[in-house]
Amino acid sequence: MNIALFPDVTVNSETIPQAAIAAEAQNHTAPKDKPGIAWRKAAQALAIRALLLQEARARGLAADPEELSPGRVETEDEALIRALLDEALTIAPVTEEAIRAEWARDPGRYRSAPLWDVSHILCACDPRDDAESAMAGARAQAILARLKGDAKGFASAARESDCGSKAAGGHLGQLGPGDTVPEFELALRTLTEGGMTPAPVLSRHGWHIIRLNATAQGQVLPYETVRPKIAQALEKAAWARASRGFVETLAKGATITGASLAPI
């Protein structure tokens, strides 16, 4: 006897196929030991989608897909939902007072990009080659073990690096966000001044031992510079609140089984 692991999801008697929920679940995060959370998030997302599409069709709206980016055009359903929200939601314009008040809460949040003075040692490899990656990783571990967390010997150890920066003791100079590959920057952001990665970091170029020599915090930006960014953020927040309220109103008049619209 086969028993369904998850209940069927229906929205006003419209059944959402479990295959569709399974496919949607790939787009939602969940702890490794709790895959059911991803399923619940997916069921919720598709229930909301069904609610909106039903309302759009009830209003007799027509889909007019728009190009979102080169080669990326809205689906019929996406266009229909956009048309519904454009008709149903009324968003009050963001006032100058609100923008300035948001900025005044903490002007220090709005800074130019920081600069990091960085050195590294690279043990190059193709990370797609397991054997090559393992050998390079072992070599990086050995170099790191010799350093024993002491950055003073870094320049000397950098002579073994596979990067041209070895001639400068591994010094890469001043870097900003986006100047390195994401894997490298992610590790760099965890370091404090004078700190070194406790373990080699794998990137598409190989294994890195990274040292953050110094950090220069970005300068606080003037109000006039950040005003457009703040205004856009407040408009998006207002739109999100209005859309949530609209969905909650639709849900109150709907019959939904197998899915909850409460926050997960």
Side-chain angles (χ1 to χ4, degrees), residues 169-180:
H171 190 221
L172 293 173
Q174 290 188 331
L175 304 175
D179 285 346
T180 65

Side-chain angles (χ1 to χ4, degrees), residues 25-101:
Q26 307 303 312
N27 302 320
H28 299 271
T29 59
K32 290 184 179 179
D33 59 337
K34 296 182 179 179
I37 291 179
W39 180 278
R40 287 165 53 203
K41 289 180 177 179
Q44 181 183 87
L46 293 183
I48 291 172
R49 184 185 185 89
L51 266 179
L52 293 171
L53 289 172
Q54 289 172 8
E55 178 66 15
R57 291 170 183 133
R59 295 188 181 206
L61 298 178
D64 184 15
E66 294 182 354
E67 185 176 29
L68 301 176
S69 61
R72 167 77 167 92
V73 179
E74 286 180 314
T75 65
E76 292 283 326
D77 285 353
E78 289 170 340
L80 200 53
I81 290 173
R82 175 176 51 78
L84 171 65
L85 296 178
D86 286 346
E87 178 178 284
L89 303 186
T90 301
I91 311 297
V94 177
T95 65
E96 185 66 26
E97 291 77 13
I99 300 171
R100 189 170 287 277

Side-chain angles (χ1 to χ4, degrees), residues 222-247:
Y223 173 74
E224 291 74 18
T225 300
V226 299
R227 183 192 178 283
K229 179 180 178 181
I230 298 172
Q232 183 181 53
L234 291 177
E235 288 168 358
K236 286 184 177 179
W239 187 91
R241 287 193 300 271
S243 61
R244 282 197 300 270
F246 180 60
V247 169

Side-chain angles (χ1 to χ4, degrees), residues 164-250:
S165 63
K166 67 181 180 181
H171 190 221
L172 293 173
Q174 290 188 331
L175 304 175
D179 285 346
T180 65
V181 293
E183 312 93 279
F184 190 104
E185 184 174 321
L186 183 63
L188 180 59
R189 286 181 177 274
T190 68
L191 299 177
T192 56
E193 282 195 5
M196 189 166 55
T197 48
V201 175
L202 182 63
S203 82
R204 64 199 68 180
H205 302 300
W207 293 92
H208 305 261
I209 301 169
I210 306 169
R211 183 178 191 272
L212 176 60
N213 304 315
T215 301
Q217 290 294 336
Q219 298 297 309
V220 175
L221 297 171
Y223 173 74
E224 291 74 18
T225 300
V226 299
R227 183 192 178 283
K229 179 180 178 181
I230 298 172
Q232 183 181 53
L234 291 177
E235 288 168 358
K236 286 184 177 179
W239 187 91
R241 287 193 300 271
S243 61
R244 282 197 300 270
F246 180 60
V247 169
E248 289 171 2
T249 299
L250 292 179

Side-chain angles (χ1 to χ4, degrees), residues 104-153:
R105 282 200 311 115
D106 183 7
R109 291 177 294 165
Y110 307 101
R111 294 177 176 270
S112 58
L115 287 175
W116 302 296
D117 189 89
V118 183
S119 296
H120 85 139
I121 299 168
L122 172 66
C123 295
C125 69
D126 181 348
R128 297 168 297 182
D129 185 319
D130 291 341
E132 183 181 334
S133 180
M135 289 180 61
R139 184 171 147 236
Q141 287 282 12
I143 295 172
L144 190 60
R146 292 203 308 271
L147 285 171
K148 297 179 180 178
D150 181 6
K152 292 180 181 179

